[in-house]
Each structure stands twice: as C-alpha cells, then as structure tokens.
Amino acid sequence: MRALVVVTGGTFDKEYDELRGTLSFRKTHLPEMLALGRCRLETRVLELMMKDSLNMTSADRKRILAACRRSPESRVVITHGTDTMTETAAALGRAGLPGKTVVLTGAMRPYRFGSSDGLFNLGSALSFAQALPPGVYVAMNGLVFSWDDVKKDRRLGVFKRQKTHG
Amino acid sequence: MRALVVVTGGTFDKEYDELRGTLSFRKTHLPEMLALGRCRLETRVLELMMKDSLNMTSADRKRILAACRRSPESRVVITHGTDTMTETAAALGRAGLPGKTVVLTGAMRPYRFGSSDGLFNLGSALSFAQALPPGVYVAMNGLVFSWDDVKKDRRLGVFKRQKTHG
Amino acid sequence: MRALVVVTGGTFDKEYDELRGTLSFRKTHLPEMLALGRCRLETRVLELMMKDSLNMTSADRKRILAACRRSPESRVVITHGTDTMTETAAALGRAGLPGKTVVLTGAMRPYRFGSSDGLFNLGSALSFAQALPPGVYVAMNGLVFSWDDVKKDRRLGVFKRQKTHG
Amino acid sequence: MRALVVVTGGTFDKEYDELRGTLSFRKTHLPEMLALGRCRLETRVLELMMKDSLNMTSADRKRILAACRRSPESRVVITHGTDTMTETAAALGRAGLPGKTVVLTGAMRPYRFGSSDGLFNLGSALSFAQALPPGVYVAMNGLVFSWDDVKKDRRLGVFKRQKTHG
C-alpha cells in the first residue's frame, strides 16, 4: 500500500524566524517527521503550498482537490491548518473522490517547537488512511470524523462532531 | 468509544537514571503523551507492569491476556517492548479475544529521550484500534500487522510481514 | 555568592499561543531553566516585565535600573530581548552601578521552542556574572562585551564588538 | 580569544543504541551544541576519547594532560564524565598547567536525551574559561570550583566545595 501526503502548511509546519522574531514557513518537515516515526509505509510527499489556512482561497482548495483526483494513490493524508480544515474537508467531500480514503490532519502546536501534537496526529492520520473505507475524513485529537460531521471548537482548540455535543 | 491502554513497559517508557548513569523504569508517561497529543478519545490507562520485554515470562503474558479479557472496553492498545512484542501478540492471538480489537505497539527510542517514535506509534495504534475489526494486531513503523504475520527484523530494528519479504 | 535574575521578557520567554496561532508572553520560564541546569548558585528571580524589547520605553529602562540599584545582590543577570539589549546596557552603563557586576543576555530562539540558545546563554551569563569585576556587560554567542563596545548585527542575528570588526 | 574543547566522553555525549537498547558512545555532539548556542567564540574541538569516566585510567589522564600541555590555546574546556571528574581535575592541578585556564565540565543527563543540563554547563564552562585566571577548575551546577576544593555528592548528584559544607 502506498500513501500520498499532500502538504498545505498550517501550524504543522510553522517555523520561528529568528531574525524577524516572527512566525513563518520554510520547507515542510514532513520527510523528517516520517523518518522520526520510522515510517515504513511507502509515502510520496507533495508540498503543494505552505499557507496559514486562514489565507486559503477557493482556488487553493481546487488545487488540493486536483492533487487528490490525479494521484495514483488511493490513500491520501493532507496536512492543513486547523482553522479552516473543516472547510477544505467539506469542499473535497462535496466534490467527491470515489475510491479514495482522504484524511485531513493538522497540529495545534508547530512540530518544530517541541511538545507538539504533530507526530501523534501524523501517525493517527496515516493509520486511519490505511484502515478506513473510501471517503473524506478529519483526524484530530486521536479521533476521526466524517467530513460532514465535524467542527472546530475555537474556544478549546479541539475538534468535535457537529451533529451532537460529543 | 472508549479505549483501554495497557502499559507493560518497554523502550516506550524507559528512563535515564542520572545518579546511576543507567536505564531504568519509573512511572509510565502514557498520560503525559495522551495529553501531548491532545487526545480526546476516552482512554483508561492501566499500568500493569514496567518490564523490558526480554524479561517477560509466560506468567506476565497471562496477566496481559487477563487484563484484555476482563476489560469492558472493546478497543485495547498495549504498549510493549519491541523485542518480544510478536510473542505476546501470538499468545493473545492464539488464546483469542472475541469482539475485541487489540493493538500492540512500542518504540525504538524512549519517549523521554527526544526524537522518539513513541508519539507517532501511539497515535497510530490508537487509530488502528478504533478502525480495525476485532483481532490482535501489531502497529509499528506506520503499518499494521496481524498477530500471525509479523516479525521483528533485529538487524534493521523494524517490523515486517513474516510470510513475505514485505 | 547570590545572584539576582531580572526578567524583562524578550525571545527568551516567548510562547506560542495555540488558540490564536500567534506569539505571546505568559509567566517566565527562568525557574524551570535554572532547575534544568541543576543550578546550585543561589538565585532570586524577579519578573519585572514581559516585553518584546522593541516596545521598551525609557520608563521601562528606569525600572530596570532601579531594580539593579536596590538589589542586595552584587551579581545581576538581566534577561532581555535582543533587539534593544545594547540600548538598555548603555542606559545602565552610563547611569553607573558601582560595585555590581551586571550581565544582560537573551536568546535568538525561544526556550520553549526547542533547539534554543537560551540555556547556553543563561549558563554563560550566570558564569560571567560571578567571574567578572563590577561593570555592565552583554553576554551573547558565548562571548562577553562591555556595555560601551557592543552592537547587534541584525543581518546575521549575532552580537559583535562595536569598535572593531571582531 | 580562542578556546580548545577537549572531549573525553561522559554522560555529556552518551547515546541510546536503539538496536541493542543500551547506552553507548558515537561521535561527539560538541560541534552541534556549539552551533545551537550560536557560539561565536573561536573553538577547536578535539575528540580525544569517548569514555565513561568510571573506566578512565591514569594513562587516559596522562593523555588529557598532554593535550592541554601542547595546545596553543590558553583557554581550555574539558568535557568529562562526572563520576571521576574531580580526579582528573586533581591530576591536572597537581601536574600544573602554567598560563592556562582549564575548566572541566560534564552533564548529569545526556545532551541527546532532552531536558539536559549539558548546554547550560557548556555555556558556563566556556565563560569561566574566558574570565578566570590561569588554573584548573570544575564548572558544574552553575558554579565554579578550584580543582583542590571540589567533590561530587553522589547521593544528590551535585558538586560541592570539599573544604566546607557549602
């Protein structure tokens, strides 16, 4: 089994720019994280964009959809900013990706800052991507949600089912 | 959905004893790791033993089996030393745990030592435990193996399918 | 020998605010860092302010001077943002702190983000504070500079002697 | 000013051997640590040996003395296991190294294991090496001791003055 990892940025890959004292993006850390996890699942990492998801446009979401559509892999993980992850998941879910298991994940704390949830979420998402039937999902906080039943609780910084309190 | 995490020790939880300059076990770090992953899956952590798996006996394995048998949870993750993880998996698989999805995982590098695969494996195992049908599995290196089709490649320090080169 | 550590903020103590996705200040990490260094030098930590040094005013600098003046300790370390550290050092140097060895230090990368120079600089500054004669100094990059012979090279993000290329 | 860093091993540089599950030595991490500290003091790193100091012999100590003797640098830091650091300091102190400031330091927790005192001690030792007059010293726990007035308190894992309780 092979998986495609589509990198779009988000807190997952945020960096601290020492000279400016601000947050920024550079190259993705996904290959380094897969190595840290000693991941032996064959993966292809595609760095599509490096964006804070608050700045994502529908053009960006179309590009993500296209990357998923044309991938030979039927298992896809998308790393994404948590702020609009559910919107991208909905865009993909409504468009439809038949035969493909697509799992979006992100991080609340940048991988490079230590004490990050990034590695945990990456392991989680890659596993759900292998085990679940075709569909579009969000994997955060050790749980998995269908694209049409998830929202981000911005006060607590966690993901929950939309249809119930859960 | 609730999961039981049975802690048996292994490299996952190894510590560095500063006064002696040696490796040792103290309390499990599982709760801390679940907090780091911002895990919102309801979990019960049961610290059954803290052993290097090279020192595990069949009595130990019987205790692990008993803990799985009596658990109300149908989803179980067992953290375990990697050296004899496949033996424990086989003992559980042969005994049978009907209706339960049991996933064994471990780490090649202690969680407390930085650059560990522990968090990645924990996220992976908790996800496979939720998504897979009843059975006994080993989750390592981002992959999942059935208990009767896995071995540890000691030279490379990775897990592979037993029946093929994989 | 006792030392006073005056905390004024800066990159040393910056935090990542997960809910907003921005950088922020909370409580100082100095006590935690001193514990990590197993520091047995008696120290008193005084959290005077938590400011990005670009936002420091002369009123702030007067408060820092006053804290140094009234301290019973003759050895003082001041943690400070690197952007205007040399200005604060000059303000203290010109005012004069007879009988006191005052060493300013900071970090280019927040302590909490991993891979930080913070611990190294803290060990360095505490040591220079104990070993040097009275005066006002800046300790960065493993070196020590007199307050009237130091500048920050903003392009490289390092500190150099002002009077020569160094 | 230039400094020589003589590496002899000790907990400072200990590694975790994943395949054997034991502690071991590989190459020194000193260059990496100096880079992390953004150290701009010119340093020459000499990896003389990589030993647990419990295994040091008088032949080893003679080699360390010889390396200090022949170095063009008058400022020397020696990284060393903490168990017999005071013995090596005494051997150097008794032999005498006129015109040279030699500072021994180590770590209670390996640098590579996270939460280490290594970086703090390295910054401390490099600073004392620059600021102190010629002599042989031990720098641990943020303090500096003359070679003839220091002992390791093995119960607490800290260094203290030998002549008083201090």
Side-chain angles (χ1 to χ4, degrees), chain D residues 1-155:
Chain D
M1 198 183 282
R2 273 189 36 159
L4 168 68
V5 180
V6 178
V7 172
T8 71
T11 299
F12 219 86
D13 265 321
K14 264 183 199 164
E15 283 265 27
Y16 178 74
D17 181 331
E18 290 183 23
L19 297 184
R20 291 192 188 80
T22 56
L23 297 166
S24 69
F25 287 113
R26 287 168 67 171
K27 288 169 43 71
T28 181
H29 299 108
L30 247 298
E32 181 182 326
M33 296 175 77
L34 291 167
L36 213 69
R38 281 84 170 152
C39 185
R40 280 178 44 87
L41 169 69
E42 261 200 78
T43 50
R44 176 169 68 105
V45 177
L46 175 65
E47 186 182 311
L48 203 63
M49 65 190 77
M50 292 288 270
K51 281 197 151 189
D52 183 322
S53 71
L54 286 171
N55 300 331
M56 272 202 184
T57 65
S58 54
D60 292 323
R61 293 193 168 95
K62 284 203 174 82
R63 289 185 57 210
I64 295 170
L65 175 63
C68 292
R69 278 237 157 95
R70 69 175 176 258
S71 78
E73 298 89 353
S74 61
R75 313 285 174 164
V76 183
V77 165
I78 303 172
T79 65
H80 194 289
T82 59
D83 283 315
T84 65
M85 189 185 301
T86 58
E87 290 173 46
T88 302
L92 299 177
R94 281 190 297 257
L97 286 156
K100 294 193 173 170
T101 304
V102 180
V103 183
L104 288 87
T105 195
M108 292 304 294
R109 187 175 172 89
Y111 160 70
R112 281 284 282 134
F113 290 7
S115 308
S116 168
D117 51 333
L119 256 185
F120 180 86
N121 293 342
L122 182 63
S124 175
L126 283 170
S127 302
F128 281 128
Q130 292 173 75
L132 294 175
V136 177
Y137 307 88
V138 165
M140 284 294 293
N141 306 117
L143 298 169
V144 70
F145 308 88
S146 183
W147 67 267
D148 57 352
D149 187 21
V150 62
K151 67 181 178 188
K152 182 182 180 183
D153 179 327
R154 294 177 193 291
R155 190 177 61 87

Side-chain angles (χ1 to χ4, degrees), chain A residues 101-123:
Chain A
T101 305
V102 179
V103 182
L104 287 86
T105 195
M108 291 306 294
R109 187 173 171 91
Y111 160 69
R112 281 283 282 133
F113 290 7
S115 308
S116 168
D117 50 333
L119 256 185
F120 180 86
N121 293 342
L122 182 63

